Structures are given as C-alpha cells and as structure tokens.
Amino acid sequence: QVQLVESGGGSVQAGGSLRLSCAASGAAVSDYCMGWFRQAPGKERERVATIDRDGVTTYADSVKGRFTASKDNAKNTLNLQMNNVKPEDAAMYYCARAPRITYRSDCYSGSFWNLGNRGQGTQVTVSS
C-alpha cells in the first residue's frame, strides 16, 4: 500500500526559501512519475512540477526558475526547493504519484492527479 506524506510547509516571507519533502512508502519514487501540485482557496488546482522516472522535470511557468523538484532515491523522497517565494505561491501543496505505466505526456502535464496516489498536503503561507 503506497503512502505519501508531505512535510516542510510553513510560513515564509516573500523572497525567502522553503523546502518541501514527500516521503513515500510502499513504492520507490525512482520507479514512478511524480509531481507537486498546489491549490489555493478559491482557485483551481495547479500543477507545480513533475519529474519522470528518468529525472526529467517540468515546471509551471509561474514557478520556473524559482522552484526545483528532485528525487532522493536513497531516502525515497520527492522534494521541492522553493526559492524567491512570492505571495501568490501560498497554497496547500500536494505530492502525487502516477500509475506505473504513464505516458510521458501525461506525466509532464500532470494529468495523472486522479489516477495514482496523493498525500494529504502541506500548507505554505507567504507574508509580504
């Protein structure tokens, strides 16, 4: 049974940095496409970043150049380094795992959100 548990959220000042982690159990992060998503109150869920089995990453335009997604295979975690955080980055952040067989296009688009596993989320608040 696969479980994903996010951590690292909290309050950060605009311009600051935060590092989110998603600990996986029951599956090796290296074997799957995984991603970070976020949802702010009153807004639609947004794909933040995805990383496929080969380590290829994609990012939403809104975070490109500021956020970095990575996998730590030794710790079996998915990470999101958030730099130069902006007020519009405030949201609940979720990690998700795609099904084992996922087309690259579906991985990169984040359309696997409803197909695999996801965590409970970690809240990020940004003060200006």
Side-chain angles (χ1 to χ4, degrees):
Q1 197 164 351
V2 178
Q3 283 194 319
L4 303 173
V5 179
E6 301 93 338
S7 63
S11 183
V12 60
Q13 281 196 325
S17 297
L18 207 59
R19 184 175 177 85
L20 306 184
S21 287
C22 171
S25 59
V29 298
S30 59
D31 291 342
Y32 295 88
C33 162
M34 299 192 69
W36 286 99
F37 299 78
R38 67 186 181 187
Q39 187 164 20
K43 295 188 177 181
E44 291 188 355
R45 184 183 62 249
E46 176 186 22
R47 171 191 67 92
V48 176
T50 62
I51 181 166
D52 71 8
R53 293 187 297 177
D54 296 324
V56 176
T57 53
T58 67
Y59 299 94
D61 288 343
S62 57
V63 306
K64 207 171 288 184
R66 300 187 297 121
F67 290 11
T68 302
S70 63
K71 292 178 182 178
D72 186 328
N73 295 335
K75 295 182 179 179
N76 208 32
T77 59
L78 173 72
N79 304 304
L80 184 69
Q81 178 66 42
M82 305 167 61
N83 296 330
N84 189 21
V85 174
K86 300 180 179 180
E88 53 264 38
D89 294 323
M92 184 72 81
Y93 283 72
Y94 302 90
C95 73
R97 179 189 71 97
R100 179 175 285 275
I101 299 176
T102 297
Y103 290 115
R104 288 184 190 271
S105 58
D106 291 332
C107 178
Y108 300 154
S109 69
S111 60
F112 59 87
W113 168 260
N114 286 321
L115 302 177
N117 302 97
R118 17 184 213 282
Q120 295 298 309
T122 186
Q123 183 71 45
V124 172
T125 58
V126 183
S127 56
S128 55

